[in-house]
Amino acid sequence: MASSQSTVRAQIHVPIEIAIEILSRLPVISLLRFKSVCKTWYALIKTPHFISKHLTLSTLNPSPTFSSLLVSTSNTNTNHSSLLHLNHPFHDHTALDFPFLTEWKYFCTVGSCNGLFCFYYECEYPVILCNPATRDFRRISNDVWWDHTNVAFGFGFHPSANDYKLIRIVSWVCTFDETFFVQTDMYEMGSDKWRGIEAKMPSVSGKEVVDAVEYQISGCCTSAFLNGVFYWEATVSVTDEVIVVSFDMDNEVFQIIRTPHCLGGLRVQELFPLTGFVQLKDKLCLIDYHDERCLDVWVLDENERCWTNQFKIGSFPRIENLATRGEFWRVRLVGCMKNGDLIVEVLLEPGEGIFLYDPKNHETKNLLAFDQVRHPCHICLYTETLVPI
């Protein structure tokens, strides 16, 4: 009986079109196993058409099942960095294994796009591109000099070129008059090469600056990428005013975007970030942290001309109850789930907690307790894909 059932199964033929429709809706972990089913499925799952279809369905799927979090932190026991994957419904986390994790004590997440992540440590180390779902990674040479005072990055997908690109902005200060000088380079994953960018930084007044610029772009972890445009925070050298600098990959032009009026005046970085980027439902948002525990969310319109105060969060009652009263702690908005829940990171020395917050019902759900993640850490919203490195 068992032999006849095996024979029947072997004779069942699924048309390739139906197989594609079924397989392209499955998680990456299942597809990696199914590559061993037969040579046809192995070849199918590796094709650019299938990878593209799976990417589209994964990113557009409203189900929270396709959403997860990636947390980078330092491991105090091994003195190495750690990369934790929290898959929905976030009951547990998995520690990912990459060779560069044992080489670095800690690293910055430069950016993420379509399931690919870009990591950076220090100037003498290469930049890392990796796909946590497939465990593939690539080391990119990072030939910058030690005397540069600041390096900012941005990572994203360029639809017109059908390629993933990494932009690097290196700035240094002239000791004579304390003006900033900038060098900009672009790495293209398809060619595996860096090239210089001729685009000049505009001045705060809107005029193009030939040599020195009037502001300094923030570090590598403060960039955002949306619809082919990179965004960074920058600080005007004379006034300490916070502005937003953007770079359009299509025309390779920098622009300056004024921040909301509430952020005017002196904005020197203190114990916690006074501002920060986050992407909420395909909108670029700037977060104004009034203090350690209250924040305003400002949304940039499609014409990049106006900021609207989307909503305010004055308190997180459940988080306040979990945090030890009287000790220093602060919140940081990380991102937004597909169902609208906000991902909130809470720093409570010496650890960090991660929570989901429903802005409609004001409900909070604990994802990682304070003793599970050490400070500092970086959290990214993540959708698993098959995109190759």
mmCIF file of all heavy atoms in Angstrom, residues 13 40 43 48 57 86 102 104 119 129 160 221 232 243 248 250 286 377 380 383 387:
data_model
loop_
_atom_site.group_PDB
_atom_site.id
_atom_site.type_symbol
_atom_site.label_atom_id
_atom_site.label_comp_id
_atom_site.label_asym_id
_atom_site.label_seq_id
_atom_site.Cartn_x
_atom_site.Cartn_y
_atom_site.Cartn_z
ATOM 1 N N HIS A 13 2.002 15.841 -11.277
ATOM 2 C CA HIS A 13 2.767 16.916 -11.899
ATOM 3 C C HIS A 13 2.060 18.242 -11.660
ATOM 4 O O HIS A 13 0.875 18.405 -11.984
ATOM 5 C CB HIS A 13 2.903 16.671 -13.405
ATOM 6 C CG HIS A 13 3.569 17.818 -14.118
ATOM 7 N ND1 HIS A 13 4.889 18.125 -13.963
ATOM 8 C CD2 HIS A 13 3.046 18.743 -14.982
ATOM 9 C CE1 HIS A 13 5.183 19.183 -14.708
ATOM 10 N NE2 HIS A 13 4.075 19.566 -15.344
ATOM 11 N N THR A 40 14.378 20.857 -10.548
ATOM 12 C CA THR A 40 13.522 21.887 -11.133
ATOM 13 C C THR A 40 13.257 23.002 -10.128
ATOM 14 O O THR A 40 13.375 24.191 -10.442
ATOM 15 C CB THR A 40 12.184 21.281 -11.602
ATOM 16 O OG1 THR A 40 12.449 20.253 -12.569
ATOM 17 C CG2 THR A 40 11.296 22.356 -12.208
ATOM 18 N N ALA A 43 16.473 25.079 -9.430
ATOM 19 C CA ALA A 43 16.752 26.072 -10.476
ATOM 20 C C ALA A 43 15.731 27.202 -10.445
ATOM 21 O O ALA A 43 16.081 28.375 -10.645
ATOM 22 C CB ALA A 43 16.753 25.392 -11.847
ATOM 23 N N PRO A 48 16.160 35.027 -11.246
ATOM 24 C CA PRO A 48 15.839 36.425 -10.907
ATOM 25 C C PRO A 48 14.340 36.715 -10.905
ATOM 26 O O PRO A 48 13.857 37.502 -10.081
ATOM 27 C CB PRO A 48 16.559 37.223 -11.996
ATOM 28 C CG PRO A 48 17.674 36.339 -12.445
ATOM 29 C CD PRO A 48 17.142 34.942 -12.338
ATOM 30 N N LEU A 57 5.893 40.099 -3.219
ATOM 31 C CA LEU A 57 4.827 39.557 -2.378
ATOM 32 C C LEU A 57 5.171 39.680 -0.894
ATOM 33 O O LEU A 57 4.289 39.932 -0.069
ATOM 34 C CB LEU A 57 4.571 38.092 -2.740
ATOM 35 C CG LEU A 57 3.986 37.844 -4.133
ATOM 36 C CD1 LEU A 57 3.882 36.348 -4.415
ATOM 37 C CD2 LEU A 57 2.608 38.497 -4.266
ATOM 38 N N LEU A 86 14.403 38.351 15.508
ATOM 39 C CA LEU A 86 13.122 38.134 16.177
ATOM 40 C C LEU A 86 12.053 37.998 15.119
ATOM 41 O O LEU A 86 11.709 38.968 14.426
ATOM 42 C CB LEU A 86 12.762 39.313 17.106
ATOM 43 C CG LEU A 86 13.482 39.431 18.433
ATOM 44 C CD1 LEU A 86 14.895 39.953 18.237
ATOM 45 C CD2 LEU A 86 12.711 40.363 19.359
ATOM 46 N N THR A 102 32.591 37.806 15.053
ATOM 47 C CA THR A 102 33.677 37.505 15.992
ATOM 48 C C THR A 102 34.864 38.448 15.822
ATOM 49 O O THR A 102 35.764 38.458 16.661
ATOM 50 C CB THR A 102 34.159 36.058 15.799
ATOM 51 O OG1 THR A 102 34.640 35.892 14.454
ATOM 52 C CG2 THR A 102 33.022 35.075 16.037
ATOM 53 N N TRP A 104 34.404 41.880 15.262
ATOM 54 C CA TRP A 104 34.024 43.216 15.708
ATOM 55 C C TRP A 104 33.410 43.157 17.096
ATOM 56 O O TRP A 104 32.613 42.272 17.405
ATOM 57 C CB TRP A 104 33.002 43.838 14.760
ATOM 58 C CG TRP A 104 33.474 44.024 13.354
ATOM 59 C CD1 TRP A 104 34.742 43.883 12.877
ATOM 60 C CD2 TRP A 104 32.670 44.391 12.224
ATOM 61 N NE1 TRP A 104 34.783 44.141 11.530
ATOM 62 C CE2 TRP A 104 33.522 44.459 11.106
ATOM 63 C CE3 TRP A 104 31.325 44.685 12.059
ATOM 64 C CZ2 TRP A 104 33.069 44.797 9.841
ATOM 65 C CZ3 TRP A 104 30.863 45.024 10.809
ATOM 66 C CH2 TRP A 104 31.731 45.076 9.713
ATOM 67 N N PHE A 119 26.454 46.862 7.137
ATOM 68 C CA PHE A 119 27.049 47.088 8.451
ATOM 69 C C PHE A 119 28.406 47.764 8.314
ATOM 70 O O PHE A 119 29.138 47.535 7.349
ATOM 71 C CB PHE A 119 27.225 45.762 9.198
ATOM 72 C CG PHE A 119 25.950 45.007 9.429
ATOM 73 C CD1 PHE A 119 25.763 43.740 8.884
ATOM 74 C CD2 PHE A 119 24.928 45.555 10.184
ATOM 75 C CE1 PHE A 119 24.597 43.043 9.096
ATOM 76 C CE2 PHE A 119 23.752 44.865 10.399
ATOM 77 C CZ PHE A 119 23.585 43.605 9.862
ATOM 78 N N LEU A 129 27.975 43.802 3.454
ATOM 79 C CA LEU A 129 26.624 43.619 2.950
ATOM 80 C C LEU A 129 26.219 42.177 3.234
ATOM 81 O O LEU A 129 26.995 41.253 2.962
ATOM 82 C CB LEU A 129 26.547 43.873 1.443
ATOM 83 C CG LEU A 129 26.556 45.320 0.958
ATOM 84 C CD1 LEU A 129 26.463 45.348 -0.564
ATOM 85 C CD2 LEU A 129 25.413 46.104 1.560
ATOM 86 N N SER A 160 16.014 52.586 -11.277
ATOM 87 C CA SER A 160 16.375 52.864 -12.672
ATOM 88 C C SER A 160 17.586 52.055 -13.115
ATOM 89 O O SER A 160 17.654 51.577 -14.254
ATOM 90 C CB SER A 160 16.652 54.364 -12.853
ATOM 91 O OG SER A 160 15.516 55.128 -12.530
ATOM 92 N N CYS A 221 24.710 55.817 11.420
ATOM 93 C CA CYS A 221 23.471 55.176 11.826
ATOM 94 C C CYS A 221 22.252 56.081 11.745
ATOM 95 O O CYS A 221 21.186 55.721 12.227
ATOM 96 C CB CYS A 221 23.610 54.646 13.259
ATOM 97 S SG CYS A 221 24.698 53.215 13.400
ATOM 98 N N TRP A 232 19.803 62.423 5.541
ATOM 99 C CA TRP A 232 20.651 62.452 6.723
ATOM 100 C C TRP A 232 20.332 63.695 7.546
ATOM 101 O O TRP A 232 19.963 64.734 7.002
ATOM 102 C CB TRP A 232 22.138 62.517 6.362
ATOM 103 C CG TRP A 232 22.673 61.384 5.582
ATOM 104 C CD1 TRP A 232 23.233 60.227 6.053
ATOM 105 C CD2 TRP A 232 22.753 61.290 4.149
ATOM 106 N NE1 TRP A 232 23.643 59.422 5.022
ATOM 107 C CE2 TRP A 232 23.357 60.057 3.837
ATOM 108 C CE3 TRP A 232 22.366 62.145 3.112
ATOM 109 C CZ2 TRP A 232 23.595 59.645 2.530
ATOM 110 C CZ3 TRP A 232 22.587 61.736 1.809
ATOM 111 C CH2 TRP A 232 23.194 60.503 1.527
ATOM 112 N N ILE A 243 19.367 70.396 10.306
ATOM 113 C CA ILE A 243 18.747 70.403 8.983
ATOM 114 C C ILE A 243 18.762 68.982 8.444
ATOM 115 O O ILE A 243 19.372 68.085 9.031
ATOM 116 C CB ILE A 243 19.487 71.348 8.002
ATOM 117 C CG1 ILE A 243 20.953 70.923 7.859
ATOM 118 C CG2 ILE A 243 19.360 72.797 8.450
ATOM 119 C CD1 ILE A 243 21.721 71.715 6.817
ATOM 120 N N ASP A 248 19.348 62.459 -4.202
ATOM 121 C CA ASP A 248 18.523 61.722 -5.157
ATOM 122 C C ASP A 248 19.431 60.886 -6.049
ATOM 123 O O ASP A 248 20.301 61.428 -6.737
ATOM 124 C CB ASP A 248 17.704 62.699 -6.000
ATOM 125 C CG ASP A 248 16.630 62.002 -6.815
ATOM 126 O OD1 ASP A 248 16.895 60.902 -7.334
ATOM 127 O OD2 ASP A 248 15.527 62.561 -6.934
ATOM 128 N N ASP A 250 18.721 59.274 -8.771
ATOM 129 C CA ASP A 250 18.475 59.413 -10.205
ATOM 130 C C ASP A 250 19.311 60.535 -10.813
ATOM 131 O O ASP A 250 20.026 60.330 -11.805
ATOM 132 C CB ASP A 250 16.991 59.670 -10.465
ATOM 133 C CG ASP A 250 16.204 58.379 -10.593
ATOM 134 O OD1 ASP A 250 16.816 57.339 -10.905
ATOM 135 O OD2 ASP A 250 14.989 58.403 -10.366
ATOM 136 N N LEU A 286 10.360 62.473 11.061
ATOM 137 C CA LEU A 286 11.403 63.019 11.922
ATOM 138 C C LEU A 286 10.848 63.047 13.336
ATOM 139 O O LEU A 286 9.762 63.585 13.579
ATOM 140 C CB LEU A 286 11.787 64.427 11.466
ATOM 141 C CG LEU A 286 13.016 65.055 12.123
ATOM 142 C CD1 LEU A 286 14.271 64.253 11.789
ATOM 143 C CD2 LEU A 286 13.179 66.500 11.662
ATOM 144 N N CYS A 377 22.654 48.990 21.352
ATOM 145 C CA CYS A 377 22.131 48.088 20.335
ATOM 146 C C CYS A 377 21.459 48.904 19.251
ATOM 147 O O CYS A 377 21.203 50.095 19.419
ATOM 148 C CB CYS A 377 21.154 47.073 20.933
ATOM 149 S SG CYS A 377 19.488 47.693 21.204
ATOM 150 N N CYS A 380 16.292 47.101 13.655
ATOM 151 C CA CYS A 380 15.753 47.390 12.319
ATOM 152 C C CYS A 380 14.557 46.497 12.044
ATOM 153 O O CYS A 380 14.557 45.307 12.402
ATOM 154 C CB CYS A 380 16.804 47.136 11.233
ATOM 155 S SG CYS A 380 18.126 48.347 11.165
ATOM 156 N N THR A 383 12.228 42.293 6.622
ATOM 157 C CA THR A 383 11.432 41.350 5.852
ATOM 158 C C THR A 383 12.375 40.392 5.135
ATOM 159 O O THR A 383 13.249 40.820 4.373
ATOM 160 C CB THR A 383 10.550 42.072 4.813
ATOM 161 O OG1 THR A 383 9.652 42.951 5.488
ATOM 162 C CG2 THR A 383 9.737 41.068 4.009
ATOM 163 N N VAL A 387 16.947 37.912 -2.023
ATOM 164 C CA VAL A 387 17.801 38.766 -2.817
ATOM 165 C C VAL A 387 19.272 38.381 -2.610
ATOM 166 O O VAL A 387 19.750 38.329 -1.471
ATOM 167 C CB VAL A 387 17.601 40.255 -2.452
ATOM 168 C CG1 VAL A 387 18.580 41.131 -3.216
ATOM 169 C CG2 VAL A 387 16.166 40.669 -2.744
#
